[in-house]
Amino acid sequence: MENSDMAEMKIGIVIPAHNEAMTISACLKSIHKAITQLPSTILAYPLVVLDGCTDETLALVKNAGVDYIECDYHCVGRVRDIGIRHAIKNGATWIACTDADSIVTPDWLVQQVIHIEQQATDMICGVVSVDNWAHLTTQTQKDYIAHYQDMMGHRHIHGANLSFSSKSYLAVGGFAPLPCHEDVDLVKRFEDQDYAITWSNRVRVITSSRLDARANEGFAAFLANLEKDNL
């Protein structure tokens, strides 16, 4: 993203949600706080993409006064893509992705803006912290920490903490209609087309340590497999 575009920057924050009544309110509250940290010259707004929700998620999103659209894809790649294209159609020049079971840090958006200003980056891959280890074995925590590179230049990819310019997103074709690893696929296409990627541990999200995975090979499944190996 060119620095000259900063004056017209509008951030669309896209959150897919499938039956996330237990977590969506905290997620939206954290996003609102992050938005308030931005300078007044930068606009930002959240958009929840409700995917086949049968619980109280919709009511909670309405109560929070947040914009939403509904679909019934049960495919996270399609859900993210429809939300992002909706945000771009409504003027978003930068897209910030997170998940409904995650909480963004207060400076989540500010740090993204700093990277864009300093490095003219096209994509930022951030890091995640686990919210609670209490229900997991000590060895699972140790294995995770040993595996995870919480530093600048890491190579972790999380759909819960991925952001990019709208122009670049459209140029590479957007998220593929994949039920998992849609984030890895998108990053690879950015890399293949030589877009500038920043691997940052200053852009942070705290994500759920639940083991009941929404995606068969997502973050919850990764933790569940670690825990299974240690039981």
Side-chain angles (χ1 to χ4, degrees), residues 215-227:
N216 291 335
E217 298 178 45
F219 187 77
F222 172 73
L223 281 183
N225 286 332
L226 278 183
E227 182 72 356

Side-chain angles (χ1 to χ4, degrees), residues 58 64 108 166 202 205:
L58 173 57
W108 182 61
S166 299
R202 303 205 312 258
V205 161

Side-chain angles (χ1 to χ4, degrees), residues 100-117:
D101 66 343
S102 300
I103 295 173
V104 307
T105 58
D107 66 345
W108 182 61
L109 295 172
V110 169
Q111 291 294 341
Q112 292 177 44
V113 171
I114 291 171
H115 282 309
I116 296 166
E117 291 177 332

Side-chain angles (χ1 to χ4, degrees), residues 157-176:
I157 299 171
H158 306 284
N161 196 5
L162 187 63
S163 54
F164 37 79
S165 78
S166 299
K167 187 183 299 184
S168 302
Y169 179 81
L170 295 176
V172 303
F175 277 113

